[in-house]
Amino acid sequence: MLAASQSIKTKLRTFFAHFKDVSRSHLYGVLTLELDNLASETSQLDSSNFDNVSAQLHKYKGICRYLKIDNEALYSDDLSKVELLGNITTLQILLKDIESEI
């Protein structure tokens, strides 16, 4: 997972590099807030309600596509609630790791 994490961090850096400093900082804040909300909403779902978990997965996949990390280990079409929460948390950690560079 270390190699995958480094690859994702590189893609995140590349994504943010396309924006001016002020825009980059604002976008980072919006993105972290969106991931926080997604994690909170997902954690409140009943694991057996596949439709709601699937809707949250769809939102998460949209974020991954926007960040251009949709071909990485954190991106999957078939995740359970627990796996989705794990991936959201991992993405939050990776973003936090590069925060000082943004």
Side-chain angles (χ1 to χ4, degrees):
M1 184 65 173
L2 181 61
S5 293
Q6 291 305 321
S7 174
I8 293 168
K9 284 182 187 179
T10 299
K11 287 182 178 186
L12 292 172
R13 287 182 190 105
T14 301
F15 172 81
F16 283 107
H18 290 97
F19 298 93
K20 295 181 182 180
D21 289 343
V22 174
S23 297
R24 200 177 344 196
S25 177
H26 176 73
L27 183 58
Y28 178 83
V30 170
L31 180 60
T32 55
L33 181 62
E34 186 65 28
L35 286 170
D36 289 346
N37 289 337
L38 185 61
S40 177
E41 291 170 4
T42 303
S43 68
Q44 295 174 24
L45 293 176
D46 181 355
S47 296
S48 64
N49 190 329
F50 178 75
D51 289 339
N52 287 343
V53 173
S54 181
Q56 294 302 96
L57 175 60
H58 181 72
K59 290 178 189 178
Y60 172 74
K61 287 170 53 178
I63 292 169
C64 289
R65 281 190 299 273
Y66 183 71
L67 294 171
K68 297 180 179 29
I69 59 170
D70 52 330
N71 62 342
E72 294 294 336
L74 291 179
Y75 186 88
S76 176
D77 288 329
D78 190 29
L79 293 177
S80 69
K81 174 186 166 180
V82 172
E83 292 168 323
L84 177 56
L85 282 170
N87 284 357
I88 293 168
T89 301
T90 301
L91 183 53
Q92 289 172 312
I93 291 168
L94 294 173
L95 281 168
K96 188 72 171 164
D97 287 350
I98 66 162
E99 180 180 17
S100 65
E101 302 171 37
I102 294 176

